[in-house]
């Protein structure tokens, strides 16, 4: 299945974007930066908690109070008493943290450039238009339930709640589908078509899917689309969609005894060729529980692979393809110089890059997330 709308051109990636920083922070050396970050953290004490997503570089996670996946980190923030939550992640993650933390906690994203491309592939206007077409094409006695992946913006989570749907993670997507089919007849899954397809296979519904491409005016007709039980939005992770079967073949040639584990955001054929498919938590657990000397080839963002190499030196952890193939440019926008800036601004009493979800949107998005917790 080849993607059409968003072909990845690595030459266009803009790494270490420091243009939005005050000039004094653009040329900080590593030693000075670390000293200033640690000094600010000492001053702020328990007033601040730093969350480091698994895909962040070492210079971020080494300062993090918690390291993990997006929803896990949001829960850690909600359980903390910190006034300020600094999220080393991307925009939708900071939004999720704002949804579930207390109103008196401020969620800060060090760089506003850190915006997940996949989340941006399902914008509210597009979804509203698609929903109108699809629901109009349904029979009178049919109902479609929307499910959005956690990797989406708050307005899409709120939309799903309004329409009787819910949020899911890569670990519980199959349960979300089961919930939806108990309530309705069909599922609209957004924004990651690969996770949706892999979930359909898990449920034995591979032949009951169709893709909906909002960028193709002459694409699937709504009347034809609703003949299927699962409608997959044309969206994907620009890191995970780069993996191909030949990457697995190459790893197996070099490491015949390797265990290949990939994220379910990968293409279906890649998941089929791997030994294991699972969330970042599953990937971390698999390496942590591996026997010394085992080889694990990792098909996810490169920084997690590097972390696992450091955290488990007794295991041979290898990337499924090269660093450029596996690098998330959105995550990379959280440069440690930005971390130094937002921390020192807090020391001076100034909150920068606060992420605030509108109250009505927050309430509805919480409903969608609560439904996920119910399953």
């Amino acid at each position: 299945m080849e993607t059409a709308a968003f072909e990845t051109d690595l030459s266009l990636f803009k790494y270490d974007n420091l243009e939005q920083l005050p000039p004094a922070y653009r040329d900080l050396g590593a030693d000075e930066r670390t000293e200033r970050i640690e000094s600010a953290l000492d001053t702020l004490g328990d007033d601040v908690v730093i969350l480091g997503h698994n895909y962040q570089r070492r210079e971020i996670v080494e300062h993090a109070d918690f390291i993990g996946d997006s929803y896990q980190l949001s829960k850690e923030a909600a359980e903390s008493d910190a006034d300020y939550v600094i999220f080393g992640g991307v925009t939708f993650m900071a939004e999720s943290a704002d949804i579930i933390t207390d109103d008196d906690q401020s969620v800060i994203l060090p760089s506003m450039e850190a915006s997940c491309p996949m989340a941006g592939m399902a914008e509210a206007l597009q979804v509203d238009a698609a929903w109108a077409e699809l629901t109009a094409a349904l029979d009178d006695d049919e109902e479609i339930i929307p499910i959005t992946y956690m990797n989406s913006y708050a307005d899409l989570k709120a939309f799903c709640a309004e329409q009787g749907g819910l949020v899911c993670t890569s670990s519980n997507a199959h349960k979300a589908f089961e919930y939806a089919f108990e309530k309705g007849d069909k599922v609209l899954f957004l924004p990651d078509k690969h996770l949706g397809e892999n979930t359909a296979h898990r449920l034995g519904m591979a032949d009951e899917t169709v893709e909906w491409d909002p960028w193709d005016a002459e694409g699937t007709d709504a009347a034809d689309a609703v003949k299927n039980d699962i409608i997959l939005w044309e969206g994907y992770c620009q890191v995970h969609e780069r993996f191909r079967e030949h990457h697995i073949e190459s790893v197996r040639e070099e490491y015949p005894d390797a265990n290949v584990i990939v994220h379910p955001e990968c293409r279906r054929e890649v998941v089929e060729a791997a030994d294991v498919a699972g969330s970042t938590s599953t990937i971390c657990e698999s390496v942590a529980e591996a026997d010394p000397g085992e080889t694990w080839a990792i098909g996810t963002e490169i920084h997690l692979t590097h972390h696992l190499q450091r955290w488990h030196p007794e295991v041979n952890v290898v990337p499924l393809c090269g660093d450029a193939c596996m690098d998330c440019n959105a995550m990379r926008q959280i440069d440690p110089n930005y971390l130094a800036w937002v921390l020192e601004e807090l020391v001076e009493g100034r909150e920068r890059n606060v992420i605030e979800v509108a109250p009505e949107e927050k309430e509805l998005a919480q409903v969608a997330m609560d439904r996920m917790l119910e399953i």
Side-chain angles (χ1 to χ4, degrees):
M1 182 192 309
E2 291 299 319
T3 55
F6 282 91
E7 289 300 332
T8 302
D9 182 355
L10 298 180
S11 68
L12 299 178
F13 276 15
K14 191 173 188 178
Y15 294 118
D16 301 321
N17 179 10
L18 303 179
E19 295 175 1
Q20 306 302 318
L21 275 174
Y25 286 90
R26 294 175 191 171
D27 298 316
L28 286 180
D31 291 341
E32 180 187 2
R33 179 181 62 217
T34 298
E35 182 180 340
R36 289 170 64 168
I37 288 173
E38 291 178 351
S39 175
L41 288 173
D42 286 343
T43 300
L44 294 166
D46 294 337
D47 288 342
V48 66
V49 62
I50 297 181
L51 310 178
H53 191 270
N54 285 315
Y55 297 167
Q56 282 297 332
R57 67 185 86 180
R58 182 175 184 173
E59 294 89 340
I60 297 297
V61 299
E62 68 185 3
H63 297 296
D65 297 290
F66 301 100
I67 304 168
D69 60 28
S70 61
Y71 187 59
Q72 172 195 349
L73 291 174
S74 293
K75 290 191 293 183
E76 296 286 3
E79 292 170 6
S80 79
D81 296 324
D83 295 329
Y84 305 108
V85 176
I86 299 181
F87 211 128
V90 293
T91 310
F92 79 79
M93 298 178 184
E95 286 186 340
S96 295
D98 184 53
I99 290 166
I100 70 173
T101 51
D102 292 338
D103 291 341
D104 58 356
Q105 290 178 289
S106 295
V107 178
I108 292 172
L109 189 66
S111 171
M112 299 301 279
E113 298 293 310
S115 182
C116 172
M118 178 167 67
M121 292 179 189
E123 296 183 349
L125 287 175
Q126 293 174 313
V127 176
D128 287 343
W131 186 255
E133 287 187 59
L134 292 170
T135 53
L138 291 172
D139 291 339
D140 291 341
D141 60 345
E142 290 183 320
E143 185 176 3
I144 184 169
I145 304 297
I147 304 172
T148 186
Y149 188 22
M150 186 66 70
N151 300 25
S152 59
Y153 290 121
D155 57 0
L156 184 50
K157 294 180 173 73
F159 167 86
C160 287
E162 278 190 299
Q163 305 302 334
L166 71 164
V167 175
C168 75
T169 66
S170 59
S171 298
N172 63 27
H174 62 292
K175 294 183 179 180
F177 273 58
E178 290 168 353
Y179 169 94
F181 281 119
E182 287 177 4
K183 291 194 61 179
D185 307 286
K186 302 178 186 302
V187 164
L188 171 64
F189 185 75
L190 312 101
D192 185 359
K193 67 178 181 181
H194 295 312
L195 176 59
E197 183 182 15
N198 288 319
T199 303
H201 272 264
R202 178 172 181 171
L203 296 175
M205 302 180 70
D207 296 330
E208 301 169 42
T209 66
V210 66
E211 290 181 17
W212 181 272
D213 187 348
W215 298 277
D216 185 0
E218 299 179 358
T220 306
D221 180 75
D224 291 331
V226 297
K227 293 176 183 177
N228 299 271
D229 289 339
I230 300 173
I231 302 169
L232 305 174
W233 192 263
E234 172 64 34
Y236 53 87
C237 169
Q238 291 183 319
V239 172
H240 291 110
E241 69 93 22
R242 295 178 207 145
F243 292 106
R244 300 291 192 276
E245 286 180 277
H246 68 80
H247 294 132
I248 296 179
E249 293 167 1
S250 296
V251 161
R252 293 199 191 281
E253 287 178 7
E254 186 171 358
Y255 305 97
D257 297 327
N259 302 285
V260 178
I261 185 168
V262 301
H263 198 282
E265 292 176 18
C266 292
R267 298 163 181 262
R268 178 63 202 161
E269 58 268 26
V270 172
V271 169
E272 288 180 332
D275 298 302
V276 184
S279 65
T280 55
S281 295
T282 298
I283 292 171
C284 291
E285 290 166 5
S286 297
V287 174
E289 295 170 1
D291 292 331
E294 284 187 359
T295 296
W296 283 80
I298 311 297
T300 192
E301 212 278 340
I302 188 63
H303 290 97
L304 177 56
T305 305
H306 289 333
H307 298 330
L308 291 171
Q309 287 172 338
R310 292 196 311 276
W311 297 340
H312 305 286
E314 75 284 0
V315 180
N316 185 27
V317 181
V318 298
L320 195 55
C321 67
D323 285 15
C325 174
M326 301 168 71
D327 185 85
C328 176
N329 183 53
M331 286 287 184
R332 193 173 249 286
Q333 300 310 311
I334 305 295
D335 188 280
N337 288 23
Y338 279 98
L339 179 60
W341 172 59
V342 295
L343 285 171
E344 291 190 336
E345 287 293 281
L346 285 178
V347 170
E348 297 300 322
R350 294 185 289 266
E351 299 180 19
R352 301 293 188 181
N353 294 354
V354 176
I355 302 297
E356 292 184 282
V357 178
E360 182 178 354
E361 221 169 66
K362 179 185 289 191
E363 183 177 347
L364 283 168
Q366 182 68 67
V367 170
M369 294 169 75
D370 287 344
R371 287 175 182 158
M372 176 186 72
L373 296 178
E374 290 173 9
I375 65 173

